[in-house]
Each structure stands twice: as C-alpha cells, then as structure tokens.
Amino acid sequence: MLGKPGLIIMGTVSILAAVTTCDTYLVAVPRMLYGLSREGMLPKFFSYLHPTTRTPWYGIFFVVALILVVIVYAFINNANIELITTMISVACATWLMSYIIAQVNVIVLRKKYPAQKRPFKTPLFPLP
C-alpha cells in the first residue's frame, strides 16, 4: 500500500517482533527449566540462581546455546528463505503447544487439588 516506505516500516516492525520474541524465550524458558529442575524433572544445575540477580543462570546459558546452534545450522545451510520459514513455523508450533500444555495443566491441577491454596485464580475459569 505504501510502496517502498511501507516495505521499510513493515520490515522494521517484523525485525522488532522477532527481537521481542527472542527476549521472551530468554526470559520464559530458563524459568521453566528452573521450575522443572526444582521439581526433580531436570538436572539440579538448572535450579541454580545467581546470588545477586536471582536469575536462572545455567538455564539462560542453555537457551542462548540452543539459539546459537540454530543460527549456525541456518548459516551452514545457506540460510535460504525456505529453511528460515520452516524453522519459524516449527518454533511457533512448539511455543503454541507449550502454552496449550500449560493451560491444560492449570485445569488438571485445579480439578485434582481443589482445596489447594492459590494466590491467583484465573478469571472466568474454566473458559480461558
């Protein structure tokens, strides 16, 4: 619609969206690894928190390493648009599945432990 300026605007917005998605991965996934480690489902080193910042240090390094592996893999395969599109689709699908699993977990745990003290209740449960 806007020609060359529209292309530049949408390109900038797309890049910013990708950066914010990576930020979300770097914040959410290490905390998930931390929680799984505290419950004994992952190795204990994922439950180590940095003493000053209280961040899951090893989980962050693990996620960054995974992202770097994907980037190196893309460059080795000449980073063609089909490969990048496939990788984005797989990432979106797995992220969506993780959200679905988290929501199903909330419903299952609410049914399984109805008397458990909860600091937060989902509005309009079980509709969301």
Side-chain angles (χ1 to χ4, degrees):
M1 277 178 34
L2 300 175
K4 183 89 170 160
L7 179 66
I8 293 170
I9 291 169
M10 288 310 296
T12 305
V13 169
S14 297
I15 290 170
L16 290 174
V19 168
T20 58
T21 300
C22 287
D23 286 347
T24 302
Y25 282 132
L26 287 174
V27 172
V29 174
R31 280 290 171 183
M32 289 179 190
L33 296 174
Y34 167 76
L36 288 170
S37 176
R38 286 198 48 187
E39 295 299 320
M41 296 179 200
L42 284 177
K44 284 293 176 194
F45 67 87
F46 282 117
S47 64
Y48 170 75
L49 292 177
H50 189 271
T52 317
T53 59
R54 306 285 299 154
T55 55
W57 205 243
Y58 291 110
I60 293 171
F61 285 135
F62 181 74
V63 171
V64 168
L66 283 178
I67 291 171
L68 290 175
V69 166
V70 169
I71 290 171
V72 168
Y73 178 77
F75 278 116
I76 288 172
N77 289 302
N78 297 327
N80 62 11
I81 194 67
E82 289 180 19
L83 175 69
I84 293 172
T85 305
T86 302
M87 291 169 73
I88 290 171
S89 297
V90 169
C92 290
T94 55
W95 197 249
L96 178 64
M97 289 303 295
S98 70
Y99 276 122
I100 290 170
I101 290 169
Q103 298 305 316
V104 169
N105 283 340
V106 168
I107 294 171
V108 168
L109 291 173
R110 294 222 184 242
K111 297 292 183 188
K112 190 172 183 180
Y113 303 107
Q116 183 73 25
K117 183 181 178 213
R118 295 178 177 89
F120 174 78
K121 288 201 174 196
T122 305
L124 304 174
F125 172 79
L127 295 177

